[in-house]
Amino acid sequence: MANTISFIYLFLVFYMIISFPPPSNAISSCNGPCSTENDCSGQLICINGKCNDDPEVGTHICTGGSSVPPSDGDCKPYGTLTCGGQSYPQYSCSPPVTSSTKASLTLNNFSEGGDGGAPSECDENYHDKTERVVALSTGWYAGRSRCGKMVRITAENGRSVLAKVVDECDSRNGCDNDHAWQPPCKNNIVDGSDAVWEDLGLNKDLGVVDVTWSMA
């Protein structure tokens, strides 16, 4: 009888350990897996699911002081989405973020009934055309970790503007009501409001122009 009770006790202890493991306080270092900034040690930031140097702080922990970023070719599409008889690549990553990241600036209407479709993901609000706000491609959006943060956008004419990140320019999904029936974004998009384009002195009729951006 005693052996039976001991066996049952051990079984219950083993079951509790397997079913309810103690909370993990593990912190990832360079290139370690992450889902939020809290998963990364020191001044590292969670980018594309991995801990890396924070461009906002200017750390070079992971690069060892090297200013050469990884190749843009490291970010490849993982699939395609077909809509309207055309196929579009789907990305879960974006090119590496540097102190001067190359991007394509597109124009977006973040107000109700505008190009953005649903309210901005970061704050569940619509934004007037006069607000300096942007959406970032999925990889740069980094799972909401850049929500509410300011970025500096610089045009080729030398003018720059500060804008707040309020939404994701979805590089994985599209062609539905939430995305105003638009296809997935490319992986290098900074989607700016009218105010962003106007402050940069850009012609909105162009629709897309080359810019660089960085954390402000």
Side-chain angles (χ1 to χ4, degrees):
M1 184 68 176
N3 288 339
T4 301
I5 295 175
S6 297
F7 175 81
I8 294 174
Y9 176 78
L10 290 173
F11 174 81
L12 289 174
V13 171
F14 178 78
Y15 177 80
M16 292 294 290
I17 292 174
I18 296 298
S19 302
F20 305 98
S24 173
N25 295 319
I27 298 179
S28 294
S29 56
C30 289
N31 296 315
C34 62
S35 57
T36 69
E37 292 181 11
N38 293 331
D39 296 333
C40 300
S41 62
Q43 294 179 314
L44 301 182
I45 189 174
C46 187
I47 301 176
N48 299 336
K50 292 184 177 181
C51 294
N52 212 327
D53 291 317
D54 188 346
E56 185 175 7
V57 179
T59 55
H60 296 282
I61 301 168
C62 299
T63 57
S66 171
S67 60
V68 180
S71 169
D72 288 4
D74 292 340
C75 178
K76 301 182 185 299
Y78 68 87
T80 58
L81 180 66
T82 302
C83 56
Q86 188 170 347
S87 295
Y88 299 91
Q90 295 171 293
Y91 292 91
S92 59
C93 58
S94 292
V97 176
T98 69
S99 58
S100 183
T101 309
K102 293 182 179 179
S104 293
L105 177 69
T106 53
L107 179 63
N108 192 4
N109 181 356
F110 293 86
S111 61
E112 188 169 4
D115 303 330
S120 297
E121 185 175 292
C122 290
D123 56 14
E124 294 297 326
N125 290 322
Y126 291 104
H127 295 272
D128 192 79
K129 291 182 178 182
T130 59
E131 295 183 62
R132 299 178 188 87
V133 294
V134 297
L136 299 178
S137 289
T138 294
W140 289 339
Y141 185 66
R144 299 176 64 100
S145 66
R146 289 198 166 94
C147 275
K149 293 188 176 181
M150 303 298 291
V151 296
R152 180 177 297 279
I153 305 162
T154 303
E156 292 184 338
N157 60 15
R159 296 178 65 169
S160 65
V161 63
L162 291 176
K164 183 169 71 172
V165 178
V166 296
D167 207 353
E168 172 185 13
C169 194
D170 200 332
S171 305
R172 297 170 294 189
N173 307 294
C175 303
D176 55 23
N177 186 60
D178 281 349
H179 299 85
W181 305 105
Q182 297 187 54
C185 287
K186 294 181 179 180
N187 67 339
N188 65 336
I189 299 298
V190 174
D191 205 19
S193 62
D194 279 53
V196 170
W197 280 70
E198 290 169 1
D199 284 0
L200 290 174
L202 299 173
N203 180 2
K204 288 180 285 187
D205 291 335
L206 294 175
V208 56
V209 296
D210 292 333
V211 297
T212 58
W213 74 275
S214 64
M215 300 306 298

PDB file of all heavy atoms in Angstrom, residues 123-136:
ATOM      1  N   ASP A 123      -3.028  52.102 -31.824  1.00  0.00           N
ATOM      2  CA  ASP A 123      -3.888  52.798 -30.863  1.00  0.00           C
ATOM      3  C   ASP A 123      -5.376  52.645 -31.141  1.00  0.00           C
ATOM      4  O   ASP A 123      -6.199  53.244 -30.450  1.00  0.00           O
ATOM      5  CB  ASP A 123      -3.534  54.286 -30.804  1.00  0.00           C
ATOM      6  CG  ASP A 123      -3.604  54.962 -32.176  1.00  0.00           C
ATOM      7  OD1 ASP A 123      -4.171  54.358 -33.116  1.00  0.00           O
ATOM      8  OD2 ASP A 123      -3.092  56.089 -32.303  1.00  0.00           O
ATOM      9  N   GLU A 124      -5.724  51.858 -32.178  1.00  0.00           N
ATOM     10  CA  GLU A 124      -7.124  51.623 -32.540  1.00  0.00           C
ATOM     11  C   GLU A 124      -7.849  52.919 -32.871  1.00  0.00           C
ATOM     12  O   GLU A 124      -9.064  53.041 -32.657  1.00  0.00           O
ATOM     13  CB  GLU A 124      -7.864  50.881 -31.408  1.00  0.00           C
ATOM     14  CG  GLU A 124      -7.359  49.473 -31.159  1.00  0.00           C
ATOM     15  CD  GLU A 124      -7.558  48.558 -32.363  1.00  0.00           C
ATOM     16  OE1 GLU A 124      -8.568  48.727 -33.072  1.00  0.00           O
ATOM     17  OE2 GLU A 124      -6.681  47.699 -32.601  1.00  0.00           O
ATOM     18  N   ASN A 125      -7.111  53.898 -33.401  1.00  0.00           N
ATOM     19  CA  ASN A 125      -7.703  55.175 -33.768  1.00  0.00           C
ATOM     20  C   ASN A 125      -7.446  55.478 -35.241  1.00  0.00           C
ATOM     21  O   ASN A 125      -6.512  54.947 -35.846  1.00  0.00           O
ATOM     22  CB  ASN A 125      -7.099  56.318 -32.931  1.00  0.00           C
ATOM     23  CG  ASN A 125      -7.540  56.261 -31.486  1.00  0.00           C
ATOM     24  OD1 ASN A 125      -8.680  55.939 -31.174  1.00  0.00           O
ATOM     25  ND2 ASN A 125      -6.623  56.585 -30.583  1.00  0.00           N
ATOM     26  N   TYR A 126      -8.296  56.348 -35.795  1.00  0.00           N
ATOM     27  CA  TYR A 126      -8.028  56.909 -37.112  1.00  0.00           C
ATOM     28  C   TYR A 126      -7.203  58.180 -36.920  1.00  0.00           C
ATOM     29  O   TYR A 126      -7.209  58.784 -35.837  1.00  0.00           O
ATOM     30  CB  TYR A 126      -9.328  57.236 -37.837  1.00  0.00           C
ATOM     31  CG  TYR A 126     -10.131  56.009 -38.241  1.00  0.00           C
ATOM     32  CD1 TYR A 126     -11.269  55.626 -37.535  1.00  0.00           C
ATOM     33  CD2 TYR A 126      -9.734  55.233 -39.330  1.00  0.00           C
ATOM     34  CE1 TYR A 126     -11.999  54.505 -37.902  1.00  0.00           C
ATOM     35  CE2 TYR A 126     -10.461  54.105 -39.708  1.00  0.00           C
ATOM     36  CZ  TYR A 126     -11.587  53.745 -38.994  1.00  0.00           C
ATOM     37  OH  TYR A 126     -12.297  52.635 -39.360  1.00  0.00           O
ATOM     38  N   HIS A 127      -6.499  58.601 -37.965  1.00  0.00           N
ATOM     39  CA  HIS A 127      -5.640  59.779 -37.856  1.00  0.00           C
ATOM     40  C   HIS A 127      -5.878  60.722 -39.030  1.00  0.00           C
ATOM     41  O   HIS A 127      -5.927  60.287 -40.181  1.00  0.00           O
ATOM     42  CB  HIS A 127      -4.170  59.361 -37.790  1.00  0.00           C
ATOM     43  CG  HIS A 127      -3.821  58.580 -36.562  1.00  0.00           C
ATOM     44  ND1 HIS A 127      -3.425  59.188 -35.388  1.00  0.00           N
ATOM     45  CD2 HIS A 127      -3.845  57.254 -36.309  1.00  0.00           C
ATOM     46  CE1 HIS A 127      -3.215  58.259 -34.470  1.00  0.00           C
ATOM     47  NE2 HIS A 127      -3.459  57.078 -35.001  1.00  0.00           N
ATOM     48  N   ASP A 128      -5.990  61.999 -38.699  1.00  0.00           N
ATOM     49  CA  ASP A 128      -6.249  63.019 -39.707  1.00  0.00           C
ATOM     50  C   ASP A 128      -5.055  63.174 -40.641  1.00  0.00           C
ATOM     51  O   ASP A 128      -3.917  62.861 -40.278  1.00  0.00           O
ATOM     52  CB  ASP A 128      -6.544  64.359 -39.013  1.00  0.00           C
ATOM     53  CG  ASP A 128      -7.106  65.383 -39.978  1.00  0.00           C
ATOM     54  OD1 ASP A 128      -8.308  65.305 -40.290  1.00  0.00           O
ATOM     55  OD2 ASP A 128      -6.333  66.250 -40.427  1.00  0.00           O
ATOM     56  N   LYS A 129      -5.334  63.676 -41.841  1.00  0.00           N
ATOM     57  CA  LYS A 129      -4.273  63.859 -42.831  1.00  0.00           C
ATOM     58  C   LYS A 129      -3.194  64.843 -42.368  1.00  0.00           C
ATOM     59  O   LYS A 129      -2.080  64.824 -42.873  1.00  0.00           O
ATOM     60  CB  LYS A 129      -4.868  64.353 -44.151  1.00  0.00           C
ATOM     61  CG  LYS A 129      -5.716  63.322 -44.882  1.00  0.00           C
ATOM     62  CD  LYS A 129      -6.221  63.880 -46.208  1.00  0.00           C
ATOM     63  CE  LYS A 129      -7.031  62.843 -46.981  1.00  0.00           C
ATOM     64  NZ  LYS A 129      -7.483  63.375 -48.286  1.00  0.00           N
ATOM     65  N   THR A 130      -3.547  65.700 -41.406  1.00  0.00           N
ATOM     66  CA  THR A 130      -2.587  66.692 -40.932  1.00  0.00           C
ATOM     67  C   THR A 130      -1.610  66.119 -39.900  1.00  0.00           C
ATOM     68  O   THR A 130      -0.647  66.783 -39.527  1.00  0.00           O
ATOM     69  CB  THR A 130      -3.319  67.882 -40.304  1.00  0.00           C
ATOM     70  OG1 THR A 130      -4.136  67.417 -39.217  1.00  0.00           O
ATOM     71  CG2 THR A 130      -4.201  68.566 -41.334  1.00  0.00           C
ATOM     72  N   GLU A 131      -1.850  64.896 -39.437  1.00  0.00           N
ATOM     73  CA  GLU A 131      -0.960  64.270 -38.458  1.00  0.00           C
ATOM     74  C   GLU A 131       0.225  63.608 -39.158  1.00  0.00           C
ATOM     75  O   GLU A 131       0.058  62.962 -40.190  1.00  0.00           O
ATOM     76  CB  GLU A 131      -1.721  63.219 -37.642  1.00  0.00           C
ATOM     77  CG  GLU A 131      -2.821  63.769 -36.761  1.00  0.00           C
ATOM     78  CD  GLU A 131      -3.469  62.684 -35.929  1.00  0.00           C
ATOM     79  OE1 GLU A 131      -2.765  62.058 -35.106  1.00  0.00           O
ATOM     80  OE2 GLU A 131      -4.676  62.451 -36.108  1.00  0.00           O
ATOM     81  N   ARG A 132       1.399  63.752 -38.548  1.00  0.00           N
ATOM     82  CA  ARG A 132       2.609  63.141 -39.103  1.00  0.00           C
ATOM     83  C   ARG A 132       2.719  61.715 -38.560  1.00  0.00           C
ATOM     84  O   ARG A 132       3.314  61.487 -37.511  1.00  0.00           O
ATOM     85  CB  ARG A 132       3.840  63.970 -38.745  1.00  0.00           C
ATOM     86  CG  ARG A 132       3.797  65.391 -39.292  1.00  0.00           C
ATOM     87  CD  ARG A 132       5.024  66.197 -38.858  1.00  0.00           C
ATOM     88  NE  ARG A 132       4.893  67.597 -39.223  1.00  0.00           N
ATOM     89  CZ  ARG A 132       4.301  68.513 -38.476  1.00  0.00           C
ATOM     90  NH1 ARG A 132       3.789  68.169 -37.298  1.00  0.00           N
ATOM     91  NH2 ARG A 132       4.216  69.764 -38.885  1.00  0.00           N
ATOM     92  N   VAL A 133       2.123  60.789 -39.275  1.00  0.00           N
ATOM     93  CA  VAL A 133       2.098  59.392 -38.836  1.00  0.00           C
ATOM     94  C   VAL A 133       2.515  58.482 -39.990  1.00  0.00           C
ATOM     95  O   VAL A 133       2.377  58.844 -41.165  1.00  0.00           O
ATOM     96  CB  VAL A 133       0.701  58.986 -38.319  1.00  0.00           C
ATOM     97  CG1 VAL A 133       0.355  59.739 -37.042  1.00  0.00           C
ATOM     98  CG2 VAL A 133      -0.366  59.217 -39.383  1.00  0.00           C
ATOM     99  N   VAL A 134       2.999  57.295 -39.624  1.00  0.00           N
ATOM    100  CA  VAL A 134       3.428  56.333 -40.635  1.00  0.00           C
ATOM    101  C   VAL A 134       3.053  54.912 -40.217  1.00  0.00           C
ATOM    102  O   VAL A 134       2.807  54.628 -39.047  1.00  0.00           O
ATOM    103  CB  VAL A 134       4.962  56.379 -40.877  1.00  0.00           C
ATOM    104  CG1 VAL A 134       5.394  57.725 -41.426  1.00  0.00           C
ATOM    105  CG2 VAL A 134       5.718  56.021 -39.600  1.00  0.00           C
ATOM    106  N   ALA A 135       3.045  54.042 -41.206  1.00  0.00           N
ATOM    107  CA  ALA A 135       2.979  52.597 -40.989  1.00  0.00           C
ATOM    108  C   ALA A 135       4.263  52.007 -41.551  1.00  0.00           C
ATOM    109  O   ALA A 135       4.787  52.497 -42.543  1.00  0.00           O
ATOM    110  CB  ALA A 135       1.759  52.002 -41.695  1.00  0.00           C
ATOM    111  N   LEU A 136       4.776  50.967 -40.895  1.00  0.00           N
ATOM    112  CA  LEU A 136       6.010  50.323 -41.332  1.00  0.00           C
ATOM    113  C   LEU A 136       5.730  48.903 -41.813  1.00  0.00           C
ATOM    114  O   LEU A 136       4.840  48.223 -41.295  1.00  0.00           O
ATOM    115  CB  LEU A 136       7.026  50.272 -40.179  1.00  0.00           C
ATOM    116  CG  LEU A 136       7.501  51.598 -39.596  1.00  0.00           C
ATOM    117  CD1 LEU A 136       8.470  51.337 -38.438  1.00  0.00           C
ATOM    118  CD2 LEU A 136       8.177  52.454 -40.663  1.00  0.00           C
TER     119      LEU A 136
END
